[in-house]
Amino acid sequence: MKEKKVYVFFNCDEEKSQTSMNIFYNSTVYGDTKKARKELLAKVEEELKEGRIQIAEENMAKVSAAIMEGDPSNAKDFITYGSIEAFTQV
């Protein structure tokens, strides 16, 4: 049986340190479905619009592709002050 993954968006420091990721502040868990991935992308876009995270314009397509079609946690490589972490659903 393939393990199911869930994803959490975190606001964090530039180094993406574990201590800067607060599960009480970022508590929405996104499943591995098309609908949940759309919601996760919308969250990232909202955080970007509000100025809480930074994504270089040329990397926005990579972030979108990772979230919608690939492994959403790979998008964190292109996000400053934000991260997407994958967890195994139990």
Side-chain angles (χ1 to χ4, degrees):
M1 193 171 98
K2 189 177 174 242
E3 2 179 84
K4 283 191 173 166
K5 293 281 186 195
V6 294
Y7 303 95
V8 179
F9 169 85
F10 288 101
N11 297 92
C12 59
D13 61 19
E14 203 168 355
E15 289 76 42
K16 297 184 184 1
S17 66
Q18 291 290 313
T19 52
S20 71
M21 297 182 197
N22 184 342
I23 193 68
F24 298 106
Y25 183 73
N26 300 116
S27 57
T28 305
V29 176
Y30 300 91
D32 194 4
T33 64
K34 256 192 166 15
K35 181 179 184 286
R37 284 174 178 248
K38 275 186 182 165
E39 291 168 358
L40 176 55
L41 182 58
K43 171 67 173 171
V44 169
E45 289 170 342
E46 177 194 336
E47 292 292 310
L48 181 63
K49 193 180 93 181
E50 295 296 326
R52 291 188 283 265
I53 63 170
Q54 296 171 357
I55 301 171
E57 208 171 302
E58 66 270 16
N59 290 332
M60 202 52 219
K62 293 175 188 163
V63 169
S64 183
I67 292 172
M68 292 308 298
E69 295 140 36
D71 178 349
S73 62
N74 290 340
K76 68 182 166 201
D77 298 338
F78 306 105
I79 303 172
T80 306
Y81 304 114
S83 185
I84 298 171
E85 298 297 318
F87 299 94
T88 302
Q89 190 175 2
V90 287

